[in-house]
Amino acid sequence: MHPILNVASIAAKEAGYFIANQMRNIEQLNVEEKGRNDYVSEIDKHAEKIIIDTIRKYYPQHSILAEESGAHKKDSDFEWIIDPLDGTTNFLHGFPQFAVSIAVTEKGRLMHGVIFDPTRDELFSASRGGGARMNNYRIRVSEQKTLKNALLATGIPYYNFEFADAYLACFKEFMLQTAGIRRPGSAALDLAYVACGRVDGYWELNLKPWDIAAGALIVNEAGGLVSDMLGGDKYLESGNLIAANPKMMKAMAQVISNTIPKEYRA
Ligand code: 2AM
Ligand code: CA
């Protein structure tokens, strides 16, 4: 294992076990609403501190971009992109689907990613060129060829309702054409599930880099494709993303471009 991936895994597990342990205290937590339906608790903040302290111990010179504390810029080719608790809304309801997500870029290129689900003890990881793993097993995307038999994951818009109708038109089309749609509530885990074939594809709009950076690399290293919604690879910038096994990407992209106007996909 690459030393950077090893440090990322240690940090993700430490933060993840801390979060899981706090599940029994949910009622006592101080929760702020950062924006419409966008919550942060002291748990997110403390988990982020655990991760940053671990990174600083091994790589004090690296830059960091973290969901809760923002950018800590250094003069370095390396940047760590951290979501200490992806699926905060789930966590705050005691709904066990959330994760820690940590990615590392070098000169802007995704190089390492880990996603840790402390409720199932599943660590998804990848380094560029090295394939993807869940714990110690190699993982691959599914072999599903058609929408007809596919199980998809998505994220339903929860704060920007401008494109609610367009999203619902797209959702309806997938509802009619596939075997089913799930809305688990953690973008990072949705991507991890594409990577290990639990779902055949995933789409969502308006995401942030820390939701998707680690997952995108893990999907690619598991043999899957990740695209923005204009057929390019600017998903970290646009926040609009499709991830799928290579056989399903075209059909998914087609449904999305047929139902969601370009202005919302850009
Ligand atoms: P977060 O918990 O780190 O904010 C899924 O749609 C993504 O949106 C998740 O990765 C989640 O990341 C984010 N999100 C934030 N608030 C949400 C909400 N109220 N409902 C669903 N997802 C939310
Ligand atoms: Ca997130």
Side-chain angles (χ1 to χ4, degrees):
M1 192 193 277
H2 191 286
I4 290 185
L5 190 67
N6 191 33
V7 170
S9 304
I10 292 168
K13 284 192 162 182
E14 203 182 323
Y17 289 133
F18 164 74
I19 293 165
N21 265 320
Q22 299 301 319
M23 269 191 98
R24 59 186 89 124
N25 303 326
I26 295 170
E27 266 87 62
Q28 276 99 57
L29 293 179
N30 287 315
V31 181
E32 285 164 47
E33 195 171 0
K34 286 190 284 186
R36 167 89 162 107
N37 276 341
D38 189 5
Y39 300 95
V40 59
S41 71
E42 53 205 301
I43 303 306
D44 302 61
K45 291 180 184 168
H46 189 73
E48 187 166 296
K49 182 174 175 341
I50 291 173
I51 297 165
I52 292 177
D53 287 350
T54 305
I55 297 166
R56 286 271 172 265
K57 192 156 109 196
Y58 295 93
Y59 300 106
Q61 295 314 323
H62 289 184
S63 294
I64 292 176
L65 171 66
E67 174 164 15
E68 309 309 337
S69 60
H72 310 250
K73 273 272 168 213
K74 302 252 177 173
D75 184 20
S76 166
D77 287 344
F78 293 91
E79 181 174 53
W80 293 65
I81 305 177
I82 302 166
D83 192 335
L85 172 45
D86 187 50
T88 304
T89 301
N90 281 347
F91 172 76
L92 292 174
H93 288 259
F95 188 103
Q97 181 77 0
F98 49 82
V100 179
S101 174
I102 304 175
V104 183
T105 61
E106 184 177 358
K107 295 186 175 149
R109 241 176 136 212
L110 284 167
M111 298 304 288
H112 308 281
V114 301
I115 296 169
F116 180 56
D117 171 353
T119 73
R120 297 183 183 83
D121 226 337
E122 292 182 335
L123 181 80
F124 300 87
S125 68
S127 289
R128 181 176 289 275
R133 286 178 173 74
M134 194 261 276
N135 296 339
N136 289 319
Y137 303 99
R138 284 296 287 264
I139 51 173
R140 267 201 78 73
V141 293
S142 76
E143 296 283 338
Q144 193 65 248
K145 291 188 187 61
T146 58
L147 282 177
K148 186 169 176 292
N149 296 312
L151 183 65
L152 302 183
T154 188
I156 299 168
Y158 59 89
Y159 69 98
N160 179 357
F161 299 121
E162 205 187 328
F163 58 92
D165 290 335
Y167 176 82
L168 288 173
C170 176
F171 189 94
K172 180 177 179 187
E173 201 51 39
F174 280 129
M175 182 181 96
L176 296 172
Q177 291 197 34
T178 65
I181 306 174
R182 301 290 179 266
R183 199 288 190 237
S186 156
L189 285 179
D190 293 341
L191 287 163
Y193 285 15
V194 172
C196 68
R198 290 178 186 166
V199 292
D200 305 298
Y202 161 66
W203 87 99
E204 184 161 352
L205 294 100
N206 261 340
L207 292 160
K208 295 287 195 291
W210 43 78
D211 300 322
I212 53 184
L217 179 69
I218 295 170
V219 169
N220 280 144
E221 289 296 326
L225 298 177
V226 183
S227 168
D228 61 27
M229 291 187 179
L230 302 172
D233 60 2
K234 301 272 180 266
Y235 46 84
L236 287 182
E237 290 87 340
S238 71
N240 303 326
L241 166 149
I242 315 171
N245 85 36
K247 296 172 179 120
M248 302 251 327
M249 177 55 86
K250 205 172 152 194
M252 281 191 72
Q254 191 85 56
V255 168
I256 289 165
S257 58
N258 286 346
T259 49
I260 303 180
K262 195 167 175 190
E263 56 193 289
Y264 297 133
R265 287 185 277 118

